[in-house]
Amino acid sequence: MMHKTTLEQWTLLQKVVELGSFARAAEETHRSQSSVSYNLALLQERLGVALLQPEGRRAVLTPAGELLLNQVKPLLKAFEWVESQAATLRNGMRTRLDLVVDSIFPRARLFAILRQFQQCYPQTQVRLTEVLETASAEQPVYAQADVLVLTRRQDTTGRGEWLMNIDFVAVAHREHPLCAAEQVSETMLSAWPLIRVVESETQQSPGAQASWTFSTIDAAIEAVQHQVGYGWLPEERIQPLLAAGVLKKLPLTHGARRATPLHLIVKKDLMPLDEQVEMLLALFKR
């Protein structure tokens, strides 16, 4: 089936509406005013609907024109994206980058990095996968990744370098009995469930302290908030709850803070690195 209208005609209609006149639309699209007028007259004739009407010196949409143009705009954007993707492929730029990040990495910092990367390379899609520290290295997502931020320095896919430490602190809800003690010993801790974040139940070591296991850090934080138990949680992630006094650090007799290192790992077969990977690495290292 041949379509009665073209993307070019709809694009010209959008330009006339945005700029307010046929003359300005012709100038912006590098064509004659008669060409713009002819294409829009043909568009309206083939649709059998008036799309434009004069309002003073401006050309404005009729109600039908506004309805139809709003329905076409997503198609115009999609077509622009296809053309920009083609240009990216022609210039040898990658169109996708696979990133795997341990879920303990600070979210605000991660999103700031992704926002800056998108501003530099708007045509490169980043596919982000968050994983747990305890996740198996055999998962397919690791093999597909270009860049990884993990607790282990050497991964099956490549070698990495130290990036930062994530501080974990032992905390409980302010009304939990552990928070009432002046000091908390290991014996006192063992009397209460430990909130743990694990990939699967098979990682629960036999004979370990009684614990409740959750598959995400956010769920573990909520469990501690609801006094299900106490937990070792990333200090940065729970800072607002600590500041508000909802959660409190436990006054342990020793070892009140634990540091977990994160490493920046690059896929082995990415050498030499392309500019998008170089930029992403630089943003993580800042």
Side-chain angles (χ1 to χ4, degrees):
M1 172 184 170
M2 294 296 292
H3 298 290
K4 295 180 180 180
T5 64
T6 66
L7 286 171
E8 179 185 18
Q9 291 167 344
W10 288 105
T11 301
L12 287 173
L13 176 64
Q14 183 172 249
K15 284 293 179 187
V16 168
V17 173
E18 287 176 356
L19 301 173
S21 74
F22 286 74
R24 292 181 64 189
E27 182 181 350
E28 173 127 343
T29 56
H30 306 291
R31 65 182 66 217
S32 66
Q33 186 172 338
S34 60
S35 172
V36 173
S37 299
Y38 171 76
N39 273 284
L40 293 187
L42 193 59
L43 174 63
Q44 295 177 93
E45 179 186 329
R46 288 181 173 175
L47 290 174
V49 176
L51 303 175
L52 288 167
Q53 61 188 10
E55 188 177 279
R57 294 185 177 182
R58 294 178 61 86
V60 299
L61 290 169
T62 63
E66 184 175 4
L67 173 66
L68 293 174
L69 183 57
N70 283 337
Q71 292 177 338
V72 171
K73 279 180 180 178
L75 300 177
L76 297 178
K77 283 187 176 294
F79 197 73
E80 287 174 8
W81 184 85
V82 169
E83 290 186 333
S84 65
Q85 285 290 92
T88 299
L89 291 169
R90 184 176 64 247
N91 296 331
M93 302 277 281
R94 68 158 66 230
T95 58
R96 194 179 92 180
L97 196 155
D98 288 281
L99 172 65
V100 171
V101 178
D102 194 298
S103 58
I104 66 174
F105 188 87
R107 286 265 179 87
R109 180 171 171 179
L110 175 60
F111 295 145
I113 289 169
L114 295 179
R115 185 174 64 251
Q116 291 176 65
F117 182 86
Q118 194 272 337
Q119 290 169 353
C120 296
Y121 298 101
Q123 307 311 324
T124 301
Q125 175 191 4
V126 176
R127 189 172 72 169
L128 170 67
T129 303
E130 278 194 312
V131 296
L132 291 172
E133 176 189 359
T134 52
S136 167
E138 303 303 317
Q139 291 188 42
V141 68
Y142 288 107
Q144 297 166 3
D146 299 302
V147 177
L148 308 94
V149 179
L150 302 174
T151 55
R152 43 188 177 270
R153 187 180 67 81
Q154 183 172 339
D155 195 74
T156 55
T157 57
R159 295 181 179 274
E161 60 182 284
W162 178 86
L163 179 64
M164 64 189 297
N165 284 338
I166 301 295
D167 288 333
F168 282 73
V169 289
V171 296
H173 187 273
R174 63 189 173 201
E175 295 179 4
H176 192 283
L178 284 171
C179 290
E182 291 185 7
Q183 280 197 325
V184 176
S185 65
E186 290 293 328
T187 303
M188 294 172 66
L189 283 179
S190 64
W192 300 97
L194 167 65
I195 303 302
R196 301 174 67 241
V197 184
V198 298
E199 182 71 12
S200 65
E201 283 300 313
T202 58
Q203 293 165 320
Q204 175 85 345
S205 52
Q209 174 187 354
S211 61
W212 289 65
T213 58
F214 296 86
S215 60
T216 68
I217 290 176
D218 289 337
I221 292 172
E222 286 193 47
V224 174
Q225 280 184 260
H226 287 82
Q227 300 189 56
V228 176
Y230 77 95
W232 287 92
L233 300 175
E235 187 173 19
E236 180 271 342
R237 187 76 69 88
I238 60 171
Q239 194 55 52
L241 295 171
L242 291 171
V246 176
L247 299 183
K248 287 193 173 183
K249 296 178 186 178
L250 298 178
L252 301 184
T253 52
H254 66 278
R257 182 181 297 270
R258 298 174 180 175
T260 298
L262 284 177
H263 300 89
L264 192 58
I265 302 169
V266 185
K267 195 173 185 178
K268 288 176 185 175
D269 56 7
L270 279 186
M271 300 300 176
L273 300 179
D274 56 66
E275 62 178 88
Q276 290 102 314
V277 171
E278 289 274 20
M279 171 59 77
L280 188 63
L281 296 176
L283 291 172
F284 269 107
K285 292 177 183 178
R286 281 181 186 173

